[in-house]
Amino acid sequence: MTDSRLRGCGTALVTPFRPDGSLDEPALRAFVDWQLAEGVHMVIPCGSTGEAATLTPAEHRRVVEITVEQVHGRVPVIAGAGSNDTQRAIATSREREAIGATPLLHVTPMYNKPPQRALLAHFRAIADACDLPIVLYNVPGRTAVNLEARTCLELATDPRFVAVKEASGNLAQMVTILRDRPAHFSVLSGDDAFSLALMAHGGDGVISVVSNVMPRMTAALCEAMWRGDLVAAQAAAAVLAPVVDAAFIESNPIPAKAMLSMMGRMADVLRLPLVPLDDACRAAVRGTLRQAGLVSA
C-alpha cells in the first residue's frame, strides 16, 4: 500500500435538515466535528446518503462549503459532484474545485444506461474539464449501469482517476480490480457489508454509511486491517454487523437518519420521495442501538 493512496474509513455524510425541511447548518458543522473527533479518515458530502438528489444547487454547494470549512484540511473532503448530464457534472466539479474540495466523487450516470464506451467518454470529459482528482463511484443498484472491471481499470491507467468506490456487490469484480490496478489507485468498498472482505483482499478501506452512527468502530476496523490484525478487524466487524443490518432495514439514508435522531445528533427529517423510518422498524432499530451502547433507552 502506498502512502499517497486514499485509504481508511470515509463517512458518506448524511445531510441534516431542520423540522421545516431546510438545511440545518449548525447540526452539519457539529456532525462533521464529531466525525473527525471519532477518527474517520475521509468525509464525503453530497452523495446518495446525503440526499444529494433533493438538494438545490445552492444547498449542494453550501453543504460542501461547510464541510470544507469544518474539516480545515485535516482529512480529504471527497465531494459528490455526479450527474447523468455530463455538462452539469463538469459545472458542478468546477464549483467544488473553487470552494476547496479535494477529490471529487463521480457516480456512473443514472437512468441514461450508457454503454461502457460512453462511461469512458463521460468520465474523461469531466477529468479534462477540471484539475481535481476523481473517485469513481459504481453503484448499479441505484444507477442501473455497472462500471465493469475492464472499464474501471482502463480509467485507472490515467492518474487523474485515483480511486473507485465499489458498491456493485460483486466481490469477484472487486478482486479483479484489486489484482490489476496501478499503484496509485485505491479500491474502497461502497457497501459496509463488504468492508472486511474487500480489505482482506487488499482493498484500501470503505466509504461507509454505518460510520455516520459508529465512526470510531468503523475507523478501528480499517486501522486493524492496516496493521494486519485480522482478529481485531473481525471483532470490530462483529460489533458493527447488527448496526449495518439496521442501517439498511429500509432505503438508505432513512434508517441512518432515524438512528442519528435517536442519538440526539440531528432531527429525523428527510425530503420526499424519502420518508422517516416505518414505525414497525423503529423499535427494532432502537433496540439495536441500545445493545450497541449508543442509546440508553
Side-chain angles (χ1 to χ4, degrees):
M1 183 176 297
T2 65
D3 291 338
S4 62
R5 282 215 302 256
L6 290 170
R7 66 174 193 165
C9 170
T11 299
L13 296 170
V14 299
T15 301
F17 299 124
R18 295 187 178 95
D20 66 1
S22 62
L23 179 63
D24 189 340
E25 295 192 8
L28 177 58
R29 291 185 186 278
F31 189 61
V32 172
D33 287 345
W34 177 63
Q35 287 284 318
L36 295 183
E38 290 288 290
V40 302
H41 311 106
M42 304 171 277
V43 291
I44 300 86
C46 296
S48 48
T49 304
E51 297 177 74
T54 55
L55 297 176
T56 68
E59 289 172 332
H60 201 291
R61 178 187 176 95
R62 188 63 182 144
V63 169
V64 177
E65 283 179 333
I66 289 169
T67 305
V68 169
E69 288 170 8
Q70 295 305 117
V71 167
H72 200 60
R74 288 174 286 175
V75 300
V77 177
I78 306 173
S83 174
N84 61 348
D85 174 353
T86 304
Q87 292 306 310
R88 186 176 303 157
I90 288 170
T92 303
S93 297
R94 287 172 171 164
E95 275 197 352
R96 299 302 166 262
E97 185 173 9
I99 61 178
T102 39
L104 299 172
L105 182 69
H106 273 286
V107 68
T108 53
M110 66 295 294
Y111 188 77
N112 312 57
K113 298 184 74 173
Q116 297 298 302
R117 69 183 186 281
L119 294 177
L120 291 171
H122 170 78
F123 289 123
R124 285 169 175 160
I126 296 166
D128 287 343
C130 68
D131 293 327
L132 290 180
I134 292 171
V135 176
L136 304 165
Y137 180 16
N138 186 34
V139 57
R142 286 185 180 267
T143 66
V145 60
N146 179 42
L147 182 71
E148 295 175 5
R150 61 182 175 84
T151 308
C152 182
L153 289 166
E154 185 170 342
L155 290 167
T157 62
D158 183 335
R160 298 177 297 178
F161 299 99
V162 297
V164 62
K165 177 185 176 183
E166 237 296 344
S168 66
N170 183 340
L171 187 59
Q173 176 168 294
M174 300 176 207
V175 171
T176 298
I177 297 168
L178 285 165
R179 183 191 65 209
D180 296 334
R181 64 175 171 173
H184 76 276
F185 191 77
S186 297
V187 181
L188 304 165
S189 176
D191 184 337
D192 284 290
F194 280 85
S195 300
L196 181 61
L198 182 66
M199 293 191 76
H201 282 281
D204 299 286
V206 58
I207 294 180
S208 171
V209 173
V210 78
S211 63
N212 280 284
V213 178
M214 297 187 75
R216 187 177 298 275
M217 186 62 68
T218 314
L221 187 159
C222 295
E223 291 166 6
M225 291 302 292
W226 297 349
R227 298 191 307 269
D229 189 344
L230 182 60
V231 172
Q234 288 172 325
V239 172
L240 288 166
V243 184
V244 171
D245 289 343
F248 295 95
I249 196 169
E250 285 196 315
S251 297
N252 174 51
I254 291 172
K257 275 273 181 83
M259 288 190 275
L260 289 165
S261 175
M262 293 171 191
M263 294 166 64
R265 295 283 168 192
M266 63 186 66
D268 187 13
V269 179
L270 299 102
R271 287 184 175 173
L272 289 169
L274 298 183
V275 293
L277 187 67
D278 183 73
D279 288 343
C281 300
R282 196 167 291 273
V285 167
R286 182 176 286 278
T288 298
L289 293 186
R290 190 183 309 112
Q291 289 175 353
L294 298 174
V295 297
S296 58

